[in-house]
Amino acid sequence: MLTAEQRSSFRETVVQYRDRASGGAFIIHSPGDEEALGGCVSAGRGFAHVNPSGDVTACPVSALATHNVRTSNLREALASPLFAMIRQNGHLLETEGHPCGLSAHAEELESMAKGLGAYRTGTPESAARDKEWPVAIR
């Protein structure tokens, strides 16, 4: 995690890149843009994250998934019980003074997600699963 000072400096840099008169980049800074976007936009409220292995997570910070784009499609992942549960439990997206809501509620999120068949990404088990599936573009 970045310190408060580092987050502030990074935020300034992101805003500078986005606002360049020469055609700034389209950048969503998360965490950082939550206030301007009406709160955390993860879990399909505005974006989702697909990691290099194809796992679809609520955001880059969340390491929980129920879907992988190699075996399902993005539409199914966005409509998944995991994403629905996060959206229905809006308190999971509240930061409570922490830079990231899902990170602030990581233990509660993981506990709730277990009943939905969610798996932790980035583990030796998920790496083994990656090797089982050929990359397929759908």
Side-chain angles (χ1 to χ4, degrees):
M1 283 283 185
L2 299 175
T3 66
E5 185 178 307
Q6 290 169 326
R7 283 194 308 271
S8 177
S9 175
F10 184 77
R11 175 73 180 155
E12 289 175 25
T13 302
V14 168
V15 171
Q16 287 173 4
Y17 279 120
R18 185 171 33 204
D19 293 340
R20 286 194 172 168
S22 61
F26 180 75
I27 299 171
I28 294 176
H29 177 210
S30 177
D33 280 337
E34 288 81 1
E35 186 175 317
L37 298 171
C40 179
V41 292
S42 66
R45 288 189 63 233
F47 68 79
H49 174 253
V50 179
N51 70 18
S53 299
D55 297 310
V56 184
T57 65
C59 74
V61 174
S62 173
L64 296 171
T66 55
H67 287 72
N68 186 293
V69 295
R70 295 177 179 178
T71 58
S72 65
N73 61 52
L74 192 55
R75 184 180 309 268
E76 292 169 349
L78 293 173
S80 72
L82 175 63
F83 278 29
M85 182 269 302
I86 293 169
R87 291 189 301 262
Q88 290 166 359
N89 290 279
H91 73 281
L92 294 173
L93 302 174
E94 297 294 326
T95 62
E96 298 179 8
H98 193 276
C100 170
L102 291 178
S103 181
H105 301 281
E107 289 180 20
E108 181 182 3
L109 175 62
E110 188 161 356
S111 175
M112 295 171 76
K114 280 183 183 176
L116 302 174
Y119 57 89
R120 182 163 282 290
T121 63
T123 64
E125 294 82 15
S126 65
R129 187 180 56 250
D130 291 345
K131 293 177 184 173
E132 294 173 10
W133 299 102
V135 176
I137 299 174
R138 296 176 188 223

